[in-house]
Amino acid sequence: MLSETMQNAFNSQINAEMFSSNLYLSMAAYFESLNLPGFAKWMELQAKEELSHAIKFYKFIDERRGRVWIRGIESPQGEWGSPLEAFEAALKHEQHVTSLIHKLVEMATLEKDIASQIFLQWFVSEQVEEEKHADDVVQRLKMMGGSTNGLLMLDHHLGKREG
């Protein structure tokens, strides 16, 4: 059975993952407005992935006989100054989510909740990957230095992302 402390923390994480999904969908809309369909596709797939993370927490709470509470989700930002600024915001957001996951691991350790610790290990690894992917795009955008051709090439590359 899931402790009330872990249940509440996991419910908060569901909310954070759903916010992440909305944020990336908002970024996809921003990229669509710039006629960058590859960037938009990358963000749409990211939005779906974040929603799947929320579902993982939902199912884990349910499997442990806890109660899921769906809360209101804050509206995400909708405009950025440039594709680089948007991806820097995505990277910063992933770093924030990483800190949330680490706090959950610490909490599960204090609660001596081995099942939650094991469950959270997947998210620890996932966050390493999430930060790397966002940072890779940030670094490429910085290397391009505002090159339109480079931006279009990167857009084409990002459009090849598979779900």
Side-chain angles (χ1 to χ4, degrees), residues 118-134:
I118 292 167
F119 169 73
L120 289 166
Q121 286 309 303
W122 183 88
F123 288 95
V124 171
S125 298
E126 177 69 5
Q127 283 309 120
V128 171
E129 182 181 306
E130 299 281 14
E131 286 187 30
K132 180 193 181 318
H133 291 313

Side-chain angles (χ1 to χ4, degrees), residues 3-161:
S3 73
E4 187 174 344
T5 300
M6 292 307 299
Q7 175 183 282
N8 291 341
F10 283 168
N11 273 304
S12 292
Q13 190 63 33
I14 288 173
N15 187 276
E17 299 291 346
M18 292 173 76
F19 173 82
S20 296
S21 181
N22 284 355
L23 175 63
Y24 291 130
L25 200 54
S26 183
M27 288 179 172
Y30 165 74
F31 285 121
E32 287 289 358
S33 77
L34 298 178
N35 197 27
L36 292 170
F39 280 84
K41 179 182 177 187
W42 195 97
M43 287 296 180
E44 286 172 17
L45 291 172
Q46 195 64 29
K48 288 178 186 175
E49 188 173 309
E50 299 304 332
L51 188 55
S52 77
H53 295 172
I55 298 297
K56 283 181 187 283
F57 278 99
Y58 177 101
K59 289 182 184 283
F60 186 77
I61 293 169
D62 185 57
E63 288 169 0
R64 301 280 311 277
R65 310 272 299 138
R67 176 68 166 94
V68 174
W69 296 99
I70 304 300
R71 310 268 190 242
I73 302 163
E74 182 182 335
S75 295
Q77 180 176 342
E79 290 291 330
W80 292 267
S82 67
L84 174 60
E85 190 178 303
F87 262 92
E88 286 175 331
L91 175 59
K92 184 177 178 185
H93 181 72
E94 287 300 336
Q95 291 166 337
H96 168 70
V97 172
T98 297
S99 74
L100 295 176
I101 297 296
H102 289 180
K103 287 177 187 171
L104 290 174
V105 171
E106 291 170 10
M107 188 179 298
T109 301
L110 288 173
E111 291 277 316
K112 297 180 179 162
D113 183 344
I114 307 289
S116 290
Q117 291 174 44
I118 292 167
F119 169 73
L120 289 166
Q121 286 309 303
W122 183 88
F123 288 95
V124 171
S125 298
E126 177 69 5
Q127 283 309 120
V128 171
E129 182 181 306
E130 299 281 14
E131 286 187 30
K132 180 193 181 318
H133 291 313
D135 189 49
D136 285 349
V137 178
V138 167
Q139 296 312 313
R140 288 177 182 182
L141 285 165
K142 286 180 177 179
M143 283 190 293
M144 290 185 313
S147 163
T148 302
N149 286 341
L151 186 64
L152 293 175
M153 288 174 63
L154 184 56
D155 183 61
H156 177 73
H157 172 74
L158 293 178
K160 292 181 178 181
R161 179 180 176 182

